Amino acid sequence: MNLADMLSYADIGQLTAIAGRYECECKRNSKHDLIQSILIRLGSRNFMESHIRGCTPVELRFLNTLLFDERSYFSLEDLLAAARQASFDTPEGKSGSYRDMVSRFKSSGWLFSGSSQQTRYLFQVPRDLKERFREMMGQYIRERVSLSDEPSMYRNEGELMSSDLLLFLRYVKENEPELNQEGALYKRYQQGLMNALHIPEIPLSKGGWRFGYGRACEHYPPRLALLYDYARHRRWLSEEGYRLRLTAAGAVILDEGKCERLMQLFSFWLRLYKGAIPNLPSLVYWISISASDWVSVSSLVDAVGWLIKPFYYDEAASILEHRIVKMMLHLGMLRLGETSDGPVAMMTQWGIEAAFPKQLLQ
C-alpha cells in the first residue's frame, strides 16, 4: 500500500505523532486534516531530500535494509535486528535503544502496523516512500562518485564465467583430479585447471584466514571458488574417495554443452555471500546506478563503503573492491580499467538490468 492508504488505517495517535514531528499546521483533532497535511509534507521532493540529508548513517542503513528486503511485512524482532545491524559502527553503550529507533521511524511515517487481524502486530513501509527514498538515496550516493575519463584499455569478461563452468566440468571429466585430506584439489591439479580456463587466477598461498564466502573459498581464489561451489550446489560434482568426478547430472550438462545463464550464477553469488555481506543486493544496485559512466573505484568506496559492515579481518574498502567489484567483473556486470589516477569501473548493460531488484517494481 502507498502512504495515503496506510495513513487512512492509522490511529489518530500515530497521525498526531507524525504531524508533530514534521510541524504540520493542521487541526490535531481532525483525522482528515492530519492526513492531508502529512501527505503534503511528505510528498514534497524538497522535504524528502532534506530529510535524507539530515539522517545519520545508522538511520540511512536501517532504511536501506527495509527498502531492499523482499518481505512485505516485518515483525518487531525483524526491525530490531535490522536496527542492530545498522548500528555496527556505533560505540558500545552509545547506541541507545533499538526499540527507540523503531519507534522513531514509526512516528516519522516510515513504519505502519498492518490493517488486518493477521497483520496488526506486523509492520510495513509505504510503497511510494520506498520509491522516493530510492531516488533520493541514489542522488545522495551519486554526488559522492567521481567521473573519470575512459581508460585506454579495459577488461570486460562478458559471459566467460558461463563458458568456464563448462571447461571446469570438462577438466574434471577428463582428469578426475585427486583431493587431499582437507578435500581440496592438489596444487598441480589446480594449476592444470587454471590453464584450462579462459580467466586463470593465482592459486592461494598458505596461511591467512578464509571463510564466509562459500565453502570452496577456503581452498581456491574467488572466481574458481564460485564456480566450484555452484557446480557442487547443482550436484554436478562428486567428492567421494578423494577424487573429484562428474555426477550423472554433471555429465548430461557437459554433453549438452549449454552454458549456464549468468543470471543464475549472479543469484547464486548473492546467496553465497549473504552471510558475510547481508546487504549485498543493495550494494550492487547502488554501484549500478553510480557507475553508468566511467567512475573511479576509490570514489565508489567513499560513496557506498559506509553501508558495508566489516567482516572479521575484511574491512569495508577491501570487501567492496575485492569481494564485490571484482566479482561483478567476473560475472560480466562491470568493466574495469586503469588510469593514471587509479582503477576505474563502468557497468555493462546486462549488469544494470541484473542489479535492479524485483521488489522495487512491486
Side-chain angles (χ1 to χ4, degrees), residues 197-323:
L197 302 180
H198 289 107
I199 306 294
E201 296 169 282
I202 300 173
L204 298 180
S205 58
K206 290 184 178 180
W209 69 278
R210 300 182 185 94
F211 59 88
Y213 300 97
R215 199 184 107 181
C217 78
E218 181 181 352
H219 306 298
Y220 312 112
R223 187 178 186 271
L224 176 58
L226 180 62
L227 290 173
Y228 196 110
D229 279 330
Y230 184 81
R232 184 167 47 202
H233 167 73
R234 297 299 302 269
R235 299 182 180 177
W236 294 341
L237 300 177
S238 166
E239 298 172 318
E240 295 179 3
Y242 294 104
R243 286 278 183 182
L244 189 62
R245 297 182 174 93
L246 284 192
T247 62
V252 169
I253 293 298
L254 187 57
D255 289 342
E256 290 177 349
K258 186 177 180 181
C259 289
E260 200 77 341
R261 291 173 58 241
L262 279 176
M263 180 58 81
Q264 291 176 283
L265 288 164
F266 170 58
S267 299
F268 179 75
W269 172 62
L270 293 179
R271 295 196 302 273
L272 192 67
Y273 280 34
K274 185 177 181 180
I277 317 173
N279 60 340
L280 180 57
S282 72
L283 295 168
V284 170
Y285 174 76
W286 296 129
I287 291 170
S288 77
I289 66 165
S290 303
S292 55
D293 294 306
W294 287 104
V295 299
S296 70
V297 173
S298 60
S299 70
L300 280 177
V301 173
D302 293 337
V304 302
W306 58 276
L307 286 166
I308 302 174
K309 180 182 179 180
F311 183 70
Y312 292 93
Y313 300 102
D314 249 356
E315 295 298 325
S318 175
I319 290 173
L320 185 67
E321 292 183 50
H322 300 293
R323 308 295 186 179

Side-chain angles (χ1 to χ4, degrees), residues 132-149:
R132 290 178 209 160
F133 172 73
R134 181 179 65 83
E135 291 177 6
M136 291 297 103
M137 183 77 159
Q139 179 179 315
Y140 177 84
I141 288 174
R142 282 194 299 269
E143 288 174 358
R144 287 153 179 77
V145 175
S146 301
L147 293 176
S148 171
D149 294 331

